[in-house]
Amino acid sequence: MAITDGGRSSSANSASIFVGGFILGGIIVGTLGCVYAPQKTRKILTEKIAQLNSAIDDVSSQLRADDEPNGVAVKSDEVESNI
């Protein structure tokens, strides 16, 4: 006999399992696609992946530049106690 709290934990667990499986499946399919792709396709894929990595780096650096500290250090416990 399993005890749950209204089914919330089991549905959250199911969702996390689904997302994990979806990501793992994408990685597996992507890897197999690269391994079995013709040489020309591999070159195109390599170029596209490099472009994607470059774009991710650009966005990441922009987000870091926009998120400058304001000089106020706040602990999460202080925020929770004020709420």
Side-chain angles (χ1 to χ4, degrees):
M1 182 164 110
I3 299 174
T4 61
D5 58 340
R8 290 182 184 166
S9 64
S10 66
S11 67
N13 191 25
S14 297
S16 64
I17 289 173
F18 174 78
V19 170
F22 190 79
I23 292 171
L24 180 62
I27 291 170
I28 291 171
V29 169
T31 302
L32 290 175
C34 288
V35 169
Y36 291 109
Q39 192 66 28
K40 183 178 180 181
T41 306
R42 285 185 195 177
K43 183 179 177 186
I44 294 170
L45 285 174
T46 303
E47 292 172 358
K48 293 293 182 183
I49 290 171
Q51 290 175 356
L52 180 62
N53 285 336
S54 161
I56 290 171
D57 290 341
D58 290 344
V59 170
S60 176
S61 65
Q62 288 175 357
L63 290 175
R64 276 192 232 124
D66 292 343
D67 190 24
E68 296 197 17
N70 60 6
V72 178
V74 178
K75 296 180 182 177
S76 61
D77 294 339
E78 293 174 2
V79 174
E80 290 176 5
S81 67
N82 289 333
I83 296 176

